[in-house]
């Protein structure tokens, strides 16, 4: 079954999906192409944007979405992933899942007879990356620039590295030692970049990452599930805060991006996230348009 677990699963259709998202946003596609389709949305972690954008998006496409928390599902009491996958496959047309472990989502997809969409795992956040690329296209016109990700080598940066590599955009991540991007994702990104001409850098060098950057991106220092490491992470990431000074190291017309939720005063200062260069609410809005394009692509 065709599922979206990683950006790599959709490599040949990345630009199509971004263009489709653009068409949904501009109102070019008016019909309801997913009339009567049903999407199960499983959440093992909190969410504002992912839940609402999928639910509203499905409604706007003519279908319906069911919010299913693992606190209420039998899977939360130990029902096997296989049985959940087989049963849901008899009721609905697709599953979107936010899970703690990426491997659980892989198993769910393997056992399902319907498409599974990754709504964030510990490894990737592909739906976010699509909304981000739509936002970059709107603000920068193309993907010829450089994205500097300042912060944790986590789910969000992993998907951004891969999508940047596929689109031929330069990607540089700066993080404290020990928080680098997943080794397999980095290797995969370099392999793709060698074909598309993008440059991928992962280092602890903030200045190197920000040099000539058109986009400055950050994410929380403590992701969902990392709470036990909070104190250590605050100390380790402190030099990597995005603030007025670090923004000056990027291009003058650089935009600031954040997947949200954000903690002002930690990974980014208020004057940057609430300042003129910030496009965070465009990004959040674009989750809706990107989700519609993804659901159309997988469920139509
Ligand atoms: N960016 C993002 O996925 O937000 P939520 O956690 O609110 O869904
Ligand atoms: N890296 C963050 C992203 C939240 C959308 C987390 O996993 O909590």
């Amino acid at each position: 079954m065709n599922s979206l677990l990683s950006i790599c699963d959709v490599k040949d259709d990345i630009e199509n999906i971004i263009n489709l998202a653009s068409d949904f946003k501009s109102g070019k596609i008016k019909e309801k192409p997913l009339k009567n389709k049903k999407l199960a949305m499983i959440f093992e972690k909190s969410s504002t944007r992912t839940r609402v954008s999928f639910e509203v998006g499905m409604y706007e496409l003519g279908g319906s979405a069911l919010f299913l928390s693992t606190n209420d599902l039998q899977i939360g009491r130990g029902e096997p992933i296989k049985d959940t996958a087989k049963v849901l496959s008899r009721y609905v047309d697709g599953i979107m899942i936010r899970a703690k472990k990426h491997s659980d989502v892989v198993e769910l997809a393997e056992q399902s007879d319907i498409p599974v969409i990754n709504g964030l795992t510990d490894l990737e956040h592909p739906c976010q990356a699509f909304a981000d690329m739509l936002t970059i296209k709107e603000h920068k016109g193309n993907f010829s620039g450089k994205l500097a990700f300042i912060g944790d080598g986590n789910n969000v940066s992993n998907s951004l590295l891969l999508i940047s590599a596929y689109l031929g955009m330069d990607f540089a991540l700066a993080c404290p030692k020990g928080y680098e991007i997943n080794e397999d994702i980095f290797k995969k990104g370099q392999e793709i970049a060698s074909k598309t001409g993008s440059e991928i850098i992962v280092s602890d060098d903030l200045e190197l990452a920000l040099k000539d950057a058109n986009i400055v991106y950050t994410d929380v220092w403590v992701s969902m599930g990392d709470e036990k490491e909070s104190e250590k992470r605050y100390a380790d990431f402190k030099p990597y805060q995005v603030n007025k000074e670090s923004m000056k190291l990027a291009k003058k017309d650089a935009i600031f991006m954040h997947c949200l939720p954000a903690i002002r005063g930690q990974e980014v200062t208020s004057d940057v996230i609430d300042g003129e260069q910030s496009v965070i609410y465009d990004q959040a809005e674009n989750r809706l348009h990107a989700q519609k394009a993804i659901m159309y692509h997988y469920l139509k």
Side-chain angles (χ1 to χ4, degrees):
M1 184 47 63
N2 199 9
S3 286
L4 173 59
L5 308 191
S6 162
I7 288 293
C8 299
D9 296 334
V10 72
K11 55 177 190 272
D12 297 327
D13 289 307
I14 291 173
E15 298 217 55
N16 288 345
I17 291 177
I18 297 167
N19 291 337
L20 197 57
S22 228
D23 289 347
F24 277 120
K25 186 170 185 175
S26 67
K28 206 166 158 188
I29 304 173
K30 287 204 169 56
E31 75 271 29
K32 295 189 181 288
L34 297 187
K35 202 159 181 268
N36 297 330
K37 297 271 186 188
K38 273 105 27 204
L39 178 77
M41 307 190 300
I42 303 176
F43 282 92
E44 201 181 359
K45 290 176 169 181
S46 307
S47 170
T48 297
R49 283 142 287 268
T50 306
R51 181 199 169 164
V52 178
S53 58
F54 267 100
E55 195 163 331
V56 171
M58 197 52 172
Y59 171 79
E60 290 184 0
L61 294 175
S64 53
L66 295 90
F67 172 73
L68 306 167
S69 157
T70 51
N71 293 330
D72 305 320
L73 289 170
Q74 294 289 11
I75 204 171
R77 294 180 55 246
E79 182 169 18
I81 291 175
K82 175 181 170 178
D83 291 349
T84 306
K86 296 289 178 209
V87 170
L88 288 179
S89 299
R90 302 285 177 108
Y91 295 139
V92 298
D93 303 286
I95 302 171
M96 191 281 296
I97 178 164
R98 168 164 290 194
K100 291 179 185 163
K101 283 160 62 186
H102 191 81
S103 54
D104 285 350
V105 178
V106 171
E107 188 183 345
L108 183 79
E110 280 167 2
Q111 298 294 342
S112 293
D113 306 316
I114 51 177
V116 173
I117 298 167
N118 174 359
L120 182 144
T121 64
D122 52 342
L123 191 65
E124 279 205 52
H125 197 0
C127 297
Q128 180 69 48
F130 275 103
D132 295 341
M133 290 304 134
L134 173 60
T135 311
I136 290 169
K137 193 178 166 198
E138 289 171 347
H139 283 273
K140 295 290 169 196
N142 56 49
F143 303 113
S144 64
K146 174 182 177 185
L147 190 161
F149 189 101
I150 310 302
D152 201 7
N154 64 5
N155 41 19
V156 172
S157 52
N158 287 344
S159 289
L160 285 172
L161 181 150
L162 291 170
I163 204 165
S164 300
Y166 279 119
L167 291 170
M169 194 162 76
D170 292 341
F171 177 94
L173 180 133
C175 65
K177 283 199 167 63
Y179 296 95
E180 291 85 4
I181 231 136
N182 171 285
E183 187 72 27
D184 292 341
I185 300 245
F186 180 66
K187 278 193 195 137
K188 182 81 197 163
Q190 289 217 306
E191 191 189 307
I192 305 159
S194 68
K195 293 180 196 128
T196 61
S198 98
E199 190 184 18
I200 307 286
I201 302 172
V202 174
S203 79
D204 60 355
D205 190 334
L206 192 68
E207 287 188 28
L208 177 73
L210 287 166
K211 190 174 184 306
D212 296 327
N214 309 83
I215 301 126
V216 180
Y217 200 122
T218 191
D219 184 11
V220 285
W221 293 340
V222 180
S223 283
M224 292 180 276
D226 291 337
E227 290 81 2
K228 279 198 192 119
E229 302 169 11
S230 297
E231 292 310 316
K232 178 166 171 33
R233 282 175 167 267
Y234 296 152
D236 291 346
F237 278 101
K238 213 165 173 206
Y240 292 84
Q241 182 188 63
V242 176
N243 51 38
K244 277 266 183 237
E245 291 313 303
S246 48
M247 284 302 286
K248 280 189 198 140
L249 299 169
K251 286 214 174 213
K252 231 178 153 178
D253 63 350
I255 53 171
F256 170 78
M257 299 180 76
H258 194 307
C259 55
L260 301 180
I263 305 186
R264 288 164 173 78
Q266 280 192 16
E267 72 273 10
V268 59
T269 51
S270 302
D271 51 5
V272 171
I273 195 168
D274 299 317
E276 282 181 359
Q277 288 165 283
S278 175
V279 298
I280 56 165
Y281 301 125
D282 291 341
Q283 265 181 282
E285 178 191 332
N286 284 339
R287 289 296 302 277
L288 172 64
H289 310 299
Q291 252 64 273
K292 286 165 81 171
I294 290 166
M295 287 190 284
Y296 179 84
H297 183 83
Y298 283 92
L299 304 186
K300 71 171 185 304

